[in-house]
Amino acid sequence: MQFETAVHLCACGCGSKVVTPFGPHDWTLTFDGTVSLRPSVGNGQQQCRSHYYVRSDRIDWLPRISAAASRVASSRDRAAHIEAIPQPLAGQASWWGRIWYRMQRSSGTSRSKLDE
């Protein structure tokens, strides 16, 4: 694939441009004669708050995405892009290491194999 990002107009017709970067932590575009885009597209930062799948050239609508769900998805997406810092396994870490690890997890700044 030549490009690593796709841009489309929001399926609801609001006219917003929706940017979907491709990558292991982003969207996957498949073309088998029809276009599919995974995972779903949630436009929580747009006024329309539309949420949908693009499957086989069709739009499968989901309920509008809430502000809270949008914040959770944004935090999850940011965390996925932060390079994983090796963390000690819970049973091997000191009490201070376990607290530090939990603080990082709760702030969404770190991911490790323990999160998967």
Side-chain angles (χ1 to χ4, degrees):
M1 185 173 291
Q2 184 177 3
F3 299 102
E4 296 180 359
T5 300
V7 178
H8 67 273
L9 293 177
C10 181
C12 79
C14 70
S16 297
K17 289 183 181 177
V18 179
V19 178
T20 52
F22 305 140
H25 302 294
D26 295 311
W27 283 267
T28 301
L29 180 112
T30 57
F31 180 74
D32 59 0
T34 65
V35 173
S36 297
L37 192 60
R38 290 195 56 84
S40 64
V41 177
N43 294 319
Q45 297 178 356
Q46 304 299 329
Q47 193 166 13
C48 68
R49 296 197 168 281
S50 63
H51 191 197
Y52 51 88
Y53 279 105
V54 178
R55 295 179 178 149
S56 301
D57 287 347
R58 290 187 344 234
I59 302 297
D60 293 334
W61 292 100
L62 297 167
R64 293 174 74 180
I65 192 164
S66 69
S70 181
R71 283 192 299 271
V72 169
S74 293
S75 293
R76 183 188 61 227
D77 292 347
R78 277 193 300 275
H81 287 90
I82 295 173
E83 189 168 335
I85 300 170
Q87 299 291 326
L89 296 175
Q92 299 173 341
S94 66
W95 67 271
W96 174 246
R98 289 191 302 269
I99 291 172
W100 181 250
Y101 174 70
R102 287 183 181 158
M103 289 171 49
Q104 287 180 316
R105 281 186 59 191
S106 66
S107 68
T109 58
S110 177
R111 290 192 67 189
S112 75
K113 294 290 183 191
L114 295 173
D115 294 329
E116 297 175 359

